[in-house]
Amino acid sequence: MDPVSQVEGRAIPYGAKNVDTDVIIPAHWLKTITREGLGKGAFETVRQDPDNLFDSDEFKGAPILIAGDNFGCGSSREHAAWALLDLGITVVIAPSFSDIFSGNAFKNGILTVALPQEQVDRLLEVAQTDPITVDLETQTVTTPYQDRFAFEVDPFRKQCLLEGLDEIGLTLQQAGAIDTYEKQQASAMPWLTRGTEIAA
């Protein structure tokens, strides 16, 4: 996955509370066998309104979404994170998140930033006209008006996001140790690998 360090740009001032995963990506989009293209179905019911924020010239392609309390509630579908990424969103700011959504977001390279409601309200106001900057390294959200809001993030998740490491990437960091172990095991217990050798 792509590293997340500093994200700057327009933020979609959505603000809705209790947005569940069926709103983020409706169930009939889950038949796909690829992650690509799910952005077309993201917030499908909301985007039926021709004046919706997601398709407006001002916010289309914005990398930040500002939402209300309990964002990502409902089912555990990972497609919700995939749809947000395909829509171009890499940061979601809200007062709180569903635990399952937050975990899925992290595993797919999306930073979830939890801030108090009054700070979210301020960002919703600023986002109407100006860009916002989210800096994972300093754990701050700033605006052109000298607003500076600090947020907490799990140190492990922070490091993974900064380095662009998903579960596969973390495993591959131990490739040398895994290779050494497999060679030692093959030598000590050759019957485990007998008949599985691949000719060069």
Side-chain angles (χ1 to χ4, degrees):
M1 65 187 190
D2 294 330
V4 177
S5 177
Q6 186 178 87
V7 179
E8 181 178 8
R10 295 304 300 273
I12 302 169
Y14 185 41
K17 297 181 179 181
N18 300 311
V19 175
D20 64 32
T21 51
D22 197 51
V23 171
I24 299 171
I25 185 71
H28 63 267
W29 283 88
L30 308 189
K31 299 172 185 176
T32 179
I33 58 171
T34 177
R35 301 180 186 193
E36 297 176 3
L38 286 174
K40 295 176 184 175
F43 299 97
E44 184 178 62
T45 54
V46 176
R47 292 163 78 183
Q48 289 175 0
D49 179 350
D51 296 324
N52 77 87
L53 294 172
F54 296 95
D55 294 319
S56 70
D57 291 338
E58 191 173 5
F59 297 108
K60 196 170 185 177
I64 303 168
L65 174 66
I66 305 175
D69 197 34
N70 197 29
F71 185 83
C73 57
S75 73
S76 61
R77 66 186 67 164
E78 193 172 10
H79 298 70
W82 299 346
L84 289 174
L85 279 175
D86 201 53
L87 198 60
I89 294 169
T90 53
V91 177
V92 182
I93 301 171
S96 68
F97 297 89
S98 155
D99 286 342
I100 294 176
F101 170 81
S102 185
N104 285 338
F106 155 66
K107 291 178 182 180
N108 286 280
I110 297 175
L111 172 61
T112 54
V113 175
L115 293 174
Q117 185 64 58
E118 60 270 20
Q119 294 179 3
V120 172
D121 290 341
R122 171 58 179 162
L123 293 173
L124 285 168
E125 179 186 356
V126 173
Q128 298 288 339
T129 54
D130 293 277
I132 288 170
T133 300
V134 180
D135 192 316
L136 178 55
E137 188 67 55
T138 61
Q139 296 177 214
T140 56
V141 180
T142 55
T143 76
Y145 301 100
Q146 307 307 312
D147 299 294
R148 184 180 180 88
F149 305 133
F151 61 89
E152 296 297 319
V153 61
D154 176 81
F156 172 73
R157 289 188 173 187
K158 177 179 180 178
Q159 199 60 38
C160 288
L161 288 169
L162 286 171
E163 295 181 19
L165 293 173
D166 57 13
E167 290 171 334
I168 294 173
L170 286 167
T171 302
L172 289 176
Q173 285 189 321
Q174 305 301 320
I178 293 169
D179 188 52
T180 298
Y181 170 79
E182 289 179 342
K183 287 178 180 176
Q184 290 173 346
Q185 185 184 47
S187 177
M189 295 178 272
W191 61 89
L192 292 177
T193 56
R194 189 174 296 130
T196 63
E197 297 85 357
I198 299 175

